[in-house]
Amino acid sequence: MNFGKFQVKTAIKAGIYLLVFLFTSSTYAQQEIRICALRVDFQPDQNPLTTGDGQFIFDSSKVTPFTIDPPPHDRSYFQDQILAVHNYYQAASRSQVNISGTVFPRSQNGAYRLPQEMGFYNPNTTEEENNQQLARLFMDAITIADQDPHIVFADYDLVTIFHAGVGKDIDLGFDSTPQDLPSLYLGPDFFKAALGPDFTGITVDGGTVTINNGIILPETETQDEVEVAITGIFAANIGSYLDLYDLFSPSTKKTGIGRFGLMDIGLFNLFGLVPAIPCAYSRALLGWDIPVVLDQPGSGVLLNRFEGTGSTGTTIFRIPINSDEYYLLEYRGDNAVKMDSLYAVLAEKRSTAPTYLEVLKTYLPDEIEVSDSTGVLLKVSDYDWGLPGAGMLVWHVDESVIAEQGPLNEINDDRENRGVDLEEADGSQDIGFDYTLIEPGYRSEQGTWLDFWFSGNPAPLYKNEFSPTSSPNTRTNRVLANSQITLDNFSSNSGSQMSYSYRREYFEPGFPLRFYFKDSNSIYTDPISVKINGVAQPVIFTADDSGRVMAFTSGGEGLLVTDQYEVARLNRAERPFLSFGDQNSDSQPDILFACLKSGLIQGFLLEDRNGDLRLDTLFSKQISQNFNTPAVVHDQRFYIGTGNNQVDRFTFTGTIDSVYYFQNQVDGLTVISADELVAQTAVEGPVNFSPTVIDLNSDGLWDQVILKNRTKMTITLAGGTLYEVELPAGIVSTPAFGDADEDGFYEIFLNLSDRIYGLYYNGALVNNFPIHPYLQNDEQLIGTPLLFDLDGDQHTDILTCSSKGQIFAFNLKGRLLPGFPLSAGGKVLASPLSTDYDSDDRPELFVITTAGIVFAWQLETSASENKIWWNQSLFNYTANNFIPDFLVPETPGGTELMPAGQAYNYPNPNTGNFTILRYYLREDAQVAIKIFDLAGDLVDHFTGPGQGQIHNEVRWELKDISSGVYLCRIEAVSVREKQIRLVKILVIK
C-alpha cells in the first residue's frame, strides 16, 4: 500500500561509531535491552486538532478478529507490543538482541496523568518549539513516574513513553489533527538542541540515575479507518537507540531506500505489522551480519537468503570499490509468498478492504503468532513478507558521505549523493522521487519487485548484468570513475540461495590490502620498487608519519611475514625519506636508509639467511642539524643535505667521511660523482625537490632542472643557456622525464595543482599540453606523473593521480584512455607507482591512501616490450635524480625549415594580456617577427628564439593592443634557406 508522504523521526544521533568490516571477522556479543514502558495520558480535552480526548482507548465494541492493534489498550496490550519487537529483533539480529520490559503503572488500565492537554506538547508552530515541547512531555512523564515506588529506573536501559492518542507519523492527505504527537527517539543531542547545551538529563531514583534518552510512541497508528500497527515504528525507534542511521531524507521527508529496510518506509511494511529487516548496511553496522569480502573474481558465487534466526552461511558479500565506496550484496524476500497478490485476491469483490492481519490469518495461519488476549501480532516466520518481491539487492555504500553527514543523521538527505543507495535493477532510480499519474515512474517511488536482481527480471533495461556500461552502472559516486566491476549471471530467485559471477578488469588479486586493522590517517612516503636478494619478485616499500616502514610483494603479501606489512620501526614517530644502497655491487640493493628531518639516519641490512629473509638494524646515527634531503646514494656512499649549509657524506656503515660546504641551506641534492654535487639552495619556498641532472638537448653534456619555488622552474643547459619557466599553478612534486614523442630529446612532465604540464628543454610547451583532468573544487593533482605505454599501442602515455584518489591516464594528444579514470577514493598524498611486481610481463599500478589502503590494478600492456620512462616519483631507489642515459636525436623529417601547420599562436582568440607565438625549426635559424594590423600598418616587431629540432616560443604582450585581427609574419633564416609563415591573431578585450 502506498502511504504517500510520511512523517519521520528528526532526532540527531551522537557518538556513532563506524565499524570497518573489511577486516572484521567476529560478531557482537548478545545485547540486552530492558525497556521501562510508561503509559501516560493527558488532561481531558475536546481539541479538534488532536485525535481523541487525551485518554487511552478501551472500547472494543468494534473489534473484529482482523483488527490491527485492537483495543482495549491496556497494560497487557503494551506488554505484548514489547514482546512483538523482541521477536522482530531476534530475527533481525540473528538472536543477538534480547528485548524485555515492564509496563507501568502496574494496574491494567492505569496511566500517569500529564499536567497538560495533548495539544500543549505539539503547538504545531516551529520545529524548535515543537521539539521543546516534546522534550517537556518526556520530562513530565519521567518526573511523574519517578514518584511510583514500583519503578527503579536503574534496572532498565531504555525508557519508552506510550501516550494516549494517535501518532503524527503517516500523511494520508489532508491532516485534520496537526497537533497529534510525532513518534521519535530522543537522544542526548536532541535534548541539548531543544533545552539548551547545559541540559545533561533528568535525575531520578533519588538522584542516583540520570536519563537523557528515550522513545515517544502512541497507543495506536490507526486513524481515519486506516489500520496501522505500531510494531514497525517501535522497532525503528529502537534502531535509532542502537545508533542505526535513518535512511530517508530528513529535509524532504522522502524515502531513501524505499520498502527495503527498517530505517526507512520499510517500517510500515504490511501496515506496520511486519516491518522490513534492516538492510545489509544496517545489519553490518551493528555486527549482526558480517559481510564476506569478495576480492577474487569468481563464477557461481553463492549467496544465502537472509532468513532471520534461521540464517546460515554467507548472507552479505562486500565488494570494495575504493577507499570510500563498496557494494553490499544480500538476498532478501521469499518468492513463494507474494503478499500483495494475496491481498488482491482476498480484496476481490469485497466492499470493504481487508487488513493485512486478515491476509496473514487467512493464508499463513501456521506461520504467525497472535496474542489470544490482546490481538497483537507477536511474531511472523519471515519479516521480509512486506518486501515488493525477492532477489538480490545491491547496496552502494559511500563512507565519505556517511563521514560527512553521519553526525547530523542525514546520510541519505541528498538523493543524488546518498550514503546508502540501492542500485535499482530496473535501470531507473525511482526511489525517493515523485511521479504523476501519467509518468512512467508512477507508484515505483518506494521500490518495486523489478528493483531486485535475478534472472528473468522483465524490466526493459534489465540485462542480468551490473557493469560499467549497464543501467545502473558500477561507476564510482563522486567522479564517476570506472570501477571495472562486473556482476552478472544472476540466478533465479526461487530457492534459498542465489548465485552470480564477479569479475574486475585490471584489478590485481589480493588487493586492496591494508597496513593496519584500525582506522588511521597517515601521510605516506612515495612508494619505491626494488628487487632484493631472497625475494623472487620486486618489493614495494613505503613509510608513514609514525616512523613505520612497510613492505609488500607479490600477491599482496608482507615481505617478512605473509600477513604483516611492517618491517621496521624507527626510533622516532616521524615520516622518513627512504632510499636504498647496494653494498656488494650485485645490482640488488641490500641496505635500506631511513632519513628523518630531525637529523636521525638509520640503516637496515636486508639479508637472506638460507631462505630466511631478515631486516636488521645496521646503524643509527643522530646529528645536531636537520636533514633536508633523502640519503642520496652514489657509489658505495650516501649524501645528505643538512640545515647548516652543508652536505655530509656517509659510508654505508653510517660514518661521516667527508663534508661539502655551500653558501646557503641545501634543500635538494643530486650526485654526479664524489667531486660533482648539484645542490638546490636558496629556494624561494618550501619545495624540497631534488634537482635533476640529465642530457635534455642530446648533446652529450649534463643539463640541470631545478624547481626554485612552487611556480618557477629553471632549465640550465651545459653550455650556460638558462631558461626560466613561470608556471600558472603550483608544482606538487618532482618532474618526470621521457622521450614521449620519440624525437630523441627528453621532455619534462610535471603535475601542477590543476593540470599536467609538458615542456621541451627550452621551456616551450609540448604539443597538446597542458592537460586538464576533471577535478572537483577541493581536489588537486598530487605526486609525479608516470610515463610509459599504458594501452599497448607502442606510444608513451601519461598517468597521474589526484588527492581524492582519481587515477587519470592520457595519451599525448590529451585524450583520456579507455577505462580511466580509475578510483582509489579516500585521500591520496603519495605518488603512484607502476612495476611488474609479479613477473607476468604486465606492469601493475599501485596507489596508497592516507588510510593505509593499497590499491593495485593490472595493466594490459606488455612490460618487456614497453619503454618505461618514469615509473615512480624519483628515477630509481637511490633517491639520486641523475639520469645517465643519453638519447640520439632523430633525423628531422621533411625538407621545410619551418613546417606548415607548426607555426601558430595560442590561445586564439585571445582575451588576456599576452599570446604565445609558436613555431618548429628543422635547424638553427635567425627569426624575425613582425605584426601588422588589417590596414597593413606595423604594430610591433621583435626577434624570436631560433633553435633547431625543437618547438620555439615567444610571448607577445597585448596590454596596449586593441581588439581586432592581426597578421603575424614569422621569418626564419638558416645557413641554407629562408622561410616565412603567416599567422592570424584575434584579440578580444
Side-chain angles (χ1 to χ4, degrees):
M1 175 64 70
N2 186 341
F3 278 89
K5 299 179 181 179
F6 60 98
Q7 182 72 27
V8 292
K9 303 178 296 302
T10 57
I12 298 175
K13 295 186 180 69
I16 294 173
Y17 175 63
L18 296 182
L19 300 175
V20 178
F21 308 118
L22 189 55
F23 301 96
T24 303
S25 59
S26 61
T27 60
Y28 275 13
Q30 284 210 348
Q31 182 173 4
E32 300 288 336
I33 302 177
R34 301 165 300 172
I35 294 177
C36 177
L38 308 179
R39 299 177 68 241
V40 302
D41 60 11
F42 305 93
Q43 297 297 320
D45 68 66
Q46 295 181 346
N47 183 359
L49 301 181
T50 61
T51 302
D53 59 2
Q55 313 301 297
F56 283 101
I57 303 171
F58 295 106
D59 181 7
S60 59
S61 60
K62 296 182 181 180
V63 169
T64 74
F66 307 126
T67 300
I68 293 176
D69 284 357
H73 295 159
D74 53 20
R75 184 174 186 269
S76 298
Y77 167 83
F78 291 105
Q79 203 72 54
D80 277 346
Q81 295 291 354
I82 295 173
L83 179 57
V85 292
H86 164 75
N87 290 328
Y88 169 84
Y89 271 99
Q90 281 282 288
S93 70
R94 291 173 134 177
S95 302
Q96 294 177 78
V97 174
N98 295 311
I99 296 177
S100 61
T102 305
V103 179
F104 297 98
R106 289 186 178 275
S107 60
Q108 187 69 350
N109 294 332
Y112 302 110
R113 178 65 52 86
L114 297 181
Q116 305 291 339
E117 296 180 1
M118 180 190 292
F120 174 83
Y121 296 106
N122 179 14
N124 192 36
T125 52
T126 65
E127 182 178 349
E128 291 75 15
E129 283 190 69
N130 294 341
N131 288 345
Q132 287 175 3
Q133 295 306 95
L134 288 170
R136 175 75 177 274
L137 182 154
F138 192 84
M139 293 176 62
D140 286 351
I142 295 295
T143 302
I144 294 170
D146 189 37
Q147 301 173 24
D148 187 336
H150 296 100
I151 301 178
V152 179
F153 284 101
D155 293 340
Y156 300 95
D157 304 297
L158 176 65
V159 174
T160 297
I161 309 297
F162 288 111
H163 64 81
V166 176
K168 184 183 173 65
D169 303 309
I170 304 169
D171 183 0
L172 299 176
F174 175 72
D175 187 2
S176 61
T177 53
Q179 286 190 280
D180 284 342
L181 304 178
S183 303
L184 74 166
Y185 168 73
L186 296 79
D189 283 357
F190 177 92
F191 282 111
K192 288 182 181 296
L195 303 177
D198 296 331
F199 181 83
T200 58
I202 307 160
T203 303
V204 294
D205 288 357
T208 62
V209 174
T210 299
I211 298 173
N212 62 1
N213 67 351
I215 295 173
I216 295 177
L217 291 173
E219 61 175 308
T220 182
E221 290 286 4
T222 297
Q223 59 179 321
D224 295 337
E225 299 183 354
V226 177
E227 297 182 17
V228 182
I230 66 171
T231 303
I233 197 99
F234 194 1
N237 279 284
I238 292 175
S240 295
Y241 165 74
L242 292 170
D243 273 344
L244 287 179
Y245 292 111
D246 291 329
L247 298 178
F248 51 79
S249 167
S251 65
T252 66
K253 305 298 187 291
K254 304 290 186 184
T255 179
I257 66 167
R259 299 160 62 182
F260 300 98
L262 172 70
M263 301 310 291
D264 197 346
I265 200 169
L267 66 90
F268 286 126
N269 283 359
L270 301 193
F271 282 29
L273 283 168
V274 186
I277 291 293
C279 70
Y281 173 77
S282 296
R283 301 198 312 277
L285 183 65
L286 295 179
W288 298 343
D289 207 343
I290 303 302
V292 173
V293 178
L294 193 61
D295 57 5
Q296 299 287 347
S299 60
V301 181
L302 292 176
L303 179 62
N304 288 10
R305 185 172 62 205
F306 184 83
E307 297 179 336
T309 54
S311 297
T312 59
T314 300
T315 50
I316 303 177
F317 275 113
R318 171 175 169 148
I319 300 176
I321 303 172
N322 54 39
S323 289
D324 297 323
E325 301 174 53
Y326 53 90
Y327 294 119
L328 293 178
L329 278 65
E330 61 174 342
Y331 176 17
R332 297 273 298 281
D334 184 355
N335 200 40
V337 178
K338 296 179 172 62
M339 196 62 64
D340 289 344
S341 297
L342 297 176
Y343 183 94
V345 170
L346 193 60
E348 189 175 5
K349 298 180 180 179
R350 288 178 50 163
S351 58
T352 58
T355 67
Y356 270 105
L357 183 59
E358 182 178 355
V359 176
L360 294 172
K361 284 186 172 184
T362 301
Y363 295 108
L364 299 164
D366 297 331
E367 303 293 325
I368 67 173
E369 181 181 339
V370 180
S371 171
D372 291 335
S373 60
T374 67
V376 172
L377 179 65
L378 300 176
K379 186 177 183 181
V380 300
S381 62
D382 188 344
Y383 284 91
D384 276 342
W385 281 339
L387 296 184
M392 205 170 293
L393 296 176
V394 179
W395 300 96
H396 190 156
V397 181
D398 190 335
E399 291 288 358
S400 66
V401 176
I402 293 171
E404 180 180 342
Q405 299 297 327
L408 300 175
N409 194 21
E410 297 177 353
I411 67 173
N412 275 1
D413 200 42
D414 180 359
R415 69 185 181 188
E416 303 296 337
N417 193 30
R418 292 170 176 153
V420 179
D421 187 37
L422 183 66
E423 299 287 358
E424 299 171 50
D426 64 358
S428 177
Q429 290 294 113
D430 300 320
I431 293 177
F433 286 74
D434 285 330
Y435 300 100
T436 64
L437 181 63
I438 62 173
E439 291 181 296
Y442 180 63
R443 301 193 70 177
S444 65
E445 301 95 331
Q446 297 174 7
T448 74
W449 65 290
L450 299 176
D451 294 328
F452 291 93
W453 297 82
F454 60 92
S455 174
N457 185 325
L461 296 178
Y462 187 79
K463 296 181 180 180
N464 210 26
E465 174 187 295
F466 182 45
S467 69
T469 59
S470 66
S471 180
N473 61 59
T474 58
R475 292 185 176 273
T476 63
N477 272 353
R478 294 286 178 100
V479 295
L480 300 179
N482 192 340
S483 71
Q484 310 293 341
I485 292 172
T486 295
L487 307 175
D488 58 10
N489 295 321
F490 294 96
S491 68
S492 69
N493 56 354
S494 58
S496 61
Q497 288 183 319
M498 283 187 66
S499 65
Y500 64 99
S501 297
Y502 163 63
R503 64 182 185 274
R504 188 163 195 171
E505 303 297 332
Y506 299 165
F507 220 62
E508 183 69 10
F511 289 83
L513 63 82
R514 188 168 190 155
F515 291 139
Y516 307 117
F517 296 121
K518 62 181 181 63
D519 290 338
S520 64
N521 186 21
S522 303
I523 300 175
Y524 287 85
T525 63
D526 295 336
I528 302 173
S529 175
V530 296
K531 183 69 177 68
I532 61 179
N533 279 318
V535 182
Q537 314 297 347
V539 181
I540 297 175
F541 285 83
T542 186
D544 69 4
D545 48 13
S546 297
R548 297 180 176 93
V549 180
M550 276 69 67
F552 60 90
T553 186
S554 183
E557 297 182 354
L559 174 62
L560 304 180
V561 181
T562 299
D563 58 351
Q564 296 180 21
Y565 301 106
E566 183 178 317
V567 294
R569 184 172 299 192
L570 305 183
N571 297 337
R572 195 165 296 142
E574 186 180 334
R575 182 167 59 104
F577 301 109
L578 297 183
S579 55
F580 293 82
D582 176 15
Q583 66 176 350
N584 58 7
S585 301
D586 64 352
S587 299
Q588 296 197 67
D590 43 32
I591 300 178
L592 164 64
F593 301 109
C595 176
L596 299 179
K597 284 184 175 291
S598 57
L600 176 68
I601 176 70
Q602 289 186 244
F604 300 90
L605 182 63
L606 289 156
E607 231 179 344
D608 180 15
R609 299 179 184 174
N610 298 320
D612 181 20
L613 189 66
R614 301 288 299 275
L615 186 68
D616 297 322
T617 300
L618 181 63
F619 66 84
S620 179
K621 187 176 185 67
Q622 176 73 53
I623 70 168
S624 59
Q625 292 293 323
N626 288 342
F627 287 150
N628 294 332
T629 74
V632 177
V633 180
H634 177 79
D635 193 21
Q636 302 297 306
R637 297 289 189 274
F638 64 88
Y639 303 71
I640 304 178
T642 69
N644 59 346
N645 304 351
Q646 67 187 44
V647 171
D648 293 341
R649 189 178 78 179
F650 296 77
T651 67
F652 278 4
T653 59
T655 301
I656 297 177
D657 71 348
S658 187
V659 178
Y660 302 77
Y661 296 96
F662 295 83
Q663 290 185 341
N664 297 293
Q665 178 174 298
V666 177
D667 292 305
L669 177 65
T670 298
V671 180
I672 302 175
S673 68
D675 299 322
E676 191 172 3
L677 276 60
V678 178
Q680 178 171 299
T681 62
V683 296
E684 301 167 10
V687 288
N688 292 108
F689 297 151
S690 297
T692 302
V693 177
I694 184 173
D695 179 16
L696 287 172
N697 59 352
S698 298
D699 63 355
L701 302 174
W702 304 122
D703 310 313
Q704 298 178 19
V705 178
I706 295 179
L707 305 179
K708 302 299 293 183
N709 59 35
R710 293 288 181 184
T711 59
K712 182 186 293 184
M713 180 173 66
T714 62
I715 302 169
T716 306
L717 302 184
T721 302
L722 174 68
Y723 299 99
E724 290 193 349
V725 181
E726 292 288 342
L727 298 164
I731 302 167
V732 298
S733 189
T734 53
F737 297 82
D739 182 13
D741 58 7
E742 302 174 2
D743 63 352
F745 297 93
Y746 284 106
E747 291 87 40
I748 307 166
F749 298 92
L750 63 160
N751 281 337
L752 308 187
S753 58
D754 62 351
R755 69 199 77 178
I756 310 169
Y757 239 54
L759 299 168
Y760 296 117
Y761 68 78
N762 63 352
L765 278 170
V766 173
N767 286 332
N768 303 308
F769 281 79
I771 296 172
H772 291 266
Y774 178 75
L775 301 173
Q776 298 177 56
N777 291 335
D778 55 348
E779 182 179 21
Q780 70 171 35
L781 298 180
I782 57 95
T784 300
L786 309 186
L787 298 172
F788 59 97
D789 175 19
L790 280 105
D791 57 5
D793 66 354
Q794 306 302 309
H795 296 292
T796 298
D797 304 303
I798 187 164
L799 182 145
T800 190
C801 191
S802 80
S803 58
K804 288 196 171 183
Q806 288 199 81
I807 299 103
F808 302 96
F810 299 91
N811 63 24
L812 291 190
K813 293 181 179 179
R815 296 173 181 165
L816 193 68
L817 296 186
F820 289 86
L822 303 171
S823 176
K827 184 177 182 180
V828 177
L829 297 176
S831 289
L833 175 146
S834 181
T835 185
D836 181 12
Y837 99 131
D838 55 5
S839 300
D840 63 353
D841 195 37
R842 295 185 299 168
E844 286 77 33
L845 171 68
F846 300 91
V847 172
I848 304 174
T849 73
T850 58
I853 302 174
V854 183
F855 286 84
W857 291 267
Q858 175 71 74
L859 303 178
E860 293 302 316
T861 187
S862 170
S864 60
E865 298 177 4
N866 198 343
K867 174 61 178 177
I868 308 293
W869 291 107
W870 210 266
N871 74 321
Q872 53 191 3
S873 61
L874 295 179
F875 181 62
N876 60 28
Y877 56 75
T878 65
N880 193 14
N881 235 23
F882 171 46
I883 293 92
D885 298 330
F886 291 106
L887 300 180
V888 178
E890 294 290 320
T891 301
T895 60
E896 294 182 308
L897 172 62
M898 188 165 39
Q902 297 198 45
Y904 55 90
N905 79 297
Y906 68 90
N908 195 15
N910 189 282
T911 58
N913 290 324
F914 68 90
T915 190
I916 303 295
L917 297 168
R918 182 185 180 92
Y919 47 90
Y920 181 87
L921 297 175
R922 188 166 56 87
E923 60 190 24
D924 289 349
Q926 293 181 334
V927 177
I929 298 172
K930 293 182 179 180
I931 300 175
F932 302 88
D933 60 21
L934 290 182
D937 295 329
L938 181 67
V939 175
D940 204 350
H941 65 93
F942 45 88
T943 61
Q947 293 173 290
Q949 301 185 43
I950 199 169
H951 292 272
N952 293 263
E953 290 187 346
V954 61
R955 176 169 165 148
W956 181 37
E957 298 294 339
L958 303 177
K959 183 178 180 180
D960 298 322
I961 302 299
S962 302
S963 296
V965 178
Y966 296 85
L967 190 65
C968 174
R969 180 182 186 276
I970 305 174
E971 179 184 271
V973 180
S974 71
V975 294
R976 295 187 306 105
E977 61 181 303
K978 178 174 77 172
Q979 193 151 39
I980 296 172
R981 297 293 179 194
L982 299 178
V983 177
K984 287 184 179 180
I985 301 173
L986 175 60
V987 177
I988 301 175
K989 289 191 174 182

